[in-house]
Structure formats: C-alpha cells, structure tokens
Amino acid sequence: MVTGTDKKNYRIVISGYYGFRNSGDEAVLRSILLALAEQGEANGIRIQPVVLSADPAWTSRMYGVEAVRRMHPKDVLNALRASDGLISGGGSLLQDATSAKTIPYYTGIIKLAQWLGKPTFIYSQGIGPVNRRWMDPLIRSSMRKSAYVSVRDAESAELLKRIGVAPGRIEVVPDPVMGLPLPAGAAAGRAAAAADIAAAVPVLGVSLRHWRKDGADLGRAADALAELASRRPVRLRFLPFHTPDDAETSKLVMERLSGRLAGGSSAELAAPGDDPQQMLLEVSRCDALFGMRLHALIYAANQMVPMLGLSYDPKIDQFLHRLGLTPVGTTEQLDPIAFADSAQRLLDDANGWKEKHREAIERLRQQSQQPAQQIAQLLRHTISR
C-alpha cells in the first residue's frame, strides 16, 4: 500500500500493558508511538499502530490510533493477520512476580505473530524476575525468532543470556519514557510556574504504591516524610501513577501524616488525569522526587529532577544504577533520619545533583529512540508487501 505522499504504509500491532490507565505504562505507549512516527518519517515510511488494549475505545481516544481488545483471541488474531509485524513492549512484561499468567500471555502473542509469518520486535523490555524455570523455553523461543530484541537494562540482557539467547542479538537501550516530551505549549507555563515557586516552599513529589499487605512500608514512608517536615518547611505533592490504587495509597499516607507536619509544611494530592504527558509536567514542577513507582523515577530523570528511590523490585535498583544511584531504602527498611538527610541534600543543592548526573541522563535521552530507529529501518529494508 502506498500513501498519498508515496510513503509505504506498515501496520504494526503493539502488545503491552495498555489501556489500564497506569501512567507509567501509558507513558511507554505514548513514547513508542511518538518515536515510531518520528523514525518512520526519517526513513520515508509510515507506521500505522494497532494497539492491543484493555480498553480499546479509551486508547483510541487518548492516542488517536486503532486499538483492539487484548484478551479477545479473535480480535488479536485478526489484527495480527492484517499486520506487517508485532512490537512487544515496553515495560516489565516478561516476569512472573505479579502472576504466573503474564509470561505465557505475552510470549503467546509473540508466538502467534511468528506462526503467522509476521516479524516480531522486542521493544525495550525489562525481563524478570523469572522464578519458574518452565517459563524459560517460552521466553527463549520467542526471543530467538524475533527480528530485533532490545531490553532496558544490563540485568535483563544477562537473564536472557542465561536462558539461551545469543548475546549478539540483544541490544541494551533506555526505557522509552526517557524520550517523552512535555505536552505541547507546556514550556512557557512551566517557566512561569518555576519563577513563582522559586521563593516558595520547596516541592517534594511523592509516588508510592501499595506493596506489603500489612502496610508497614507505607508507615515507614510516612515516618520518613514526617522527619523531613520536622526539619524544614516542605510541600509534599503526592502523585498517583496508577489510579485509583495509588490515589488511595496516597490518601492513606497523608492520613498518617495528619498532625505531624510542622509549620509551613503541607501535603496534597495531584490530579493530572490520564494523559502521561500531564503527569510528566507535574513531575517537572517538583524540586525533588521520592519515588517507588519505576516510571516516577524515569519521569524525574527525563526532567532532570533530583530523586530518591524506594526499592520494592529489582527494576528500581537497576534503573537507579544506570544513573549512578542507589535506593534510599526498601519496602523492608527505610531509616527516617537517613532519608531526611538525603532529601535535605537534594533540596539544598539540586544544581549539584543535576550537574553530577547530567551526562548519564543525557545519554539515556539520546539513546531512547534506538529501538524505533532499528524497527523502521528493518521494515523499510527487509519487509515487502
């Protein structure tokens, strides 16, 4: 098919955790869509995405793309049959920590595309943890038969190597969200807001999620934030990345902080809506960020906002490691004194933090479009219709 501008059109199905209104995963999707459009243009082709979504109508409205039901076999089969290939990713799709069904689902989509003779592309995935060894052949087979494989950290690459994927076939790239831009027209408003805030109480963005059943990790987070507020005025701005769950978690922590914030300190809940770029804008307005959600930390890096990470999963440690950082604590241990000391240093010397980590962050930004570039070139040079 040739478009009116003589650009060849390629229909590409995109499989991931989309349509659940999780800001991090939706940011991944928007980043991929923007990168594919840009790299398609650079390579003289047009890439037409078809997203597998939990809520196709919402996904179509949000991104202006075609979407189909991800859990309806007939819809998925028809989309793949009419496609020129499949992108699987990004995000933490191939792991069994959340469910034993996750890996079979995502590798099943990949294998179905391969059985239909469609090229498959693995887009900046975080692989693991994989605790059930019977999952290894599912991952190995889907990776070996993919036209392109990229992962978002060295640990994911090592895991793939251990289960039998050739090292030379694996490219380590940043998370796609490192390349996500602010919403159109945001720059001017952001500059004005920064000028207003400069002389005011510093803003600490807070992104927490429910993890431990007993809530002890959230109690420790509240204690740490209260310790910081006892030392200096601070505006705690809670950022719910996955609604409604994170909003409820934030409210719980805010309740635990009630009566514990010293004069000049406050706590509030942001409501940026479902658009991931609006959440990115919220993060950009913070002076520092305390994050448990991986993409809260990635948003902060994207906007050069100093950060403190709370680890609940190896992917947190892996991302922080790429910036030369370590977690301030974990869901099992968070010392309020150490946290407050670290947070004060960030708030007092944000410019020092930025200069120290600028080179690593810029490198990740620049590399964030590599998968889209590789995919566009493979489509252009190896796939004919």
Side-chain angles (χ1 to χ4, degrees):
M1 175 179 176
V2 178
T3 67
T5 56
D6 294 330
K7 289 181 181 177
K8 197 165 188 179
N9 188 70
Y10 295 90
R11 285 174 61 87
I12 301 296
V13 174
I14 304 179
S15 169
Y17 191 74
Y18 305 132
F20 293 93
R21 309 193 189 195
N22 179 319
S23 183
D25 290 289
E26 298 303 330
V28 167
L29 177 57
R30 173 150 290 172
S31 300
I32 291 174
L33 294 174
L34 291 172
L36 290 174
E38 182 174 334
Q39 293 302 322
E41 180 72 23
N43 283 273
I45 64 174
R46 180 174 179 268
I47 299 174
Q48 181 180 349
V50 181
V51 179
L52 304 185
S53 172
D55 188 342
W58 179 84
T59 295
S60 292
R61 288 195 306 272
M62 176 63 71
Y63 304 107
V65 298
E66 185 178 341
V68 301
R69 297 174 292 182
R70 74 196 292 272
M71 296 302 292
H72 285 247
K74 185 178 179 180
D75 290 3
V76 174
L77 179 61
N78 288 341
L80 288 171
R81 277 179 173 160
S83 78
D84 295 295
L86 168 78
I87 287 174
S88 179
S92 304
L93 305 184
L94 301 183
Q95 49 80 26
D96 62 0
T98 56
S99 170
K101 299 177 182 178
T102 305
I103 291 174
Y105 171 78
Y106 289 111
T107 57
I109 298 292
I110 296 169
K111 294 307 296 182
L112 178 58
Q114 292 169 350
W115 289 333
L116 291 170
K118 309 296 182 179
T120 56
F121 311 101
I122 310 304
Y123 200 121
S124 187
Q125 284 206 27
I127 314 295
V130 181
N131 299 305
R132 300 166 176 87
R133 296 277 63 84
W134 62 268
M135 303 272 194
D136 291 355
L138 302 179
I139 299 173
R140 180 169 56 245
S141 175
S142 61
M143 295 290 159
R144 283 178 171 177
K145 296 181 180 179
S146 287
Y148 172 72
V149 176
S150 62
V151 295
R152 70 184 179 196
D153 51 63
E155 292 82 358
S156 293
E158 285 301 320
L159 193 156
L160 289 183
K161 293 174 190 177
R162 287 198 300 272
I163 65 176
V165 181
R169 301 203 64 243
I170 308 166
E171 185 172 26
V172 179
V173 299
D175 187 285
V177 178
M178 284 303 302
L180 183 67
L182 288 170
R190 181 188 174 196
D196 290 340
I197 292 171
V201 175
V203 177
L204 178 68
V206 182
S207 169
L208 299 173
R209 62 168 297 170
H210 181 76
W211 189 249
R212 286 180 57 114
K213 291 182 179 179
D214 63 3
D217 49 344
L218 300 180
R220 285 189 282 269
D223 291 343
L225 293 168
E227 173 63 26
L228 174 64
S230 74
R231 301 184 181 189
R232 62 179 303 153
V234 63
R235 183 178 163 197
L236 304 175
R237 188 153 174 79
F238 286 79
L239 306 170
F241 269 70
H242 190 182
T243 54
D245 297 351
D246 287 7
E248 293 305 315
T249 298
S250 297
K251 290 175 184 176
L252 177 62
V253 175
M254 291 169 69
E255 288 173 6
R256 296 188 180 191
L257 287 168
S258 180
R260 302 174 67 187
L261 299 180
S265 291
S266 62
E268 60 195 38
L269 181 63
D274 295 320
D275 189 329
Q277 286 174 289
Q278 291 299 322
M279 180 63 90
L280 182 65
L281 182 60
E282 284 284 353
V283 171
S284 77
R285 292 168 171 163
C286 297
D287 294 288
L289 182 132
F290 172 42
M292 187 174 172
R293 287 279 184 191
L294 172 63
H295 279 97
L297 300 173
I298 294 174
Y299 279 34
N302 176 305
Q303 291 299 302
M304 205 74 75
V305 173
M307 71 189 76
L308 296 169
L310 182 67
S311 180
Y312 75 96
D313 184 280
K315 64 186 180 183
I316 303 297
D317 306 70
Q318 291 158 7
F319 176 70
L320 292 173
H321 177 73
R322 295 192 75 171
L323 299 182
L325 301 171
T326 57
V328 70
T330 71
T331 49
E332 304 304 315
Q333 188 276 328
L334 177 61
D335 179 71
I337 304 299
F339 170 85
D341 289 344
S342 297
Q344 278 196 292
R345 283 194 294 271
L346 291 189
L347 295 173
D348 290 338
D349 188 22
N351 288 333
W353 187 95
K354 293 176 184 180
E355 286 306 312
K356 182 177 180 179
H357 300 288
R358 186 180 304 279
E359 184 177 348
I361 289 172
E362 289 295 345
R363 188 183 311 116
L364 294 182
R365 282 177 175 166
Q366 292 167 10
Q367 295 171 349
S368 63
Q369 288 210 358
Q370 282 179 211
Q373 182 181 59
Q374 293 287 344
I375 291 167
Q377 290 174 355
L378 286 167
L379 290 173
R380 180 183 177 188
H381 295 299
T382 65
I383 300 175
S384 60
R385 299 186 68 177

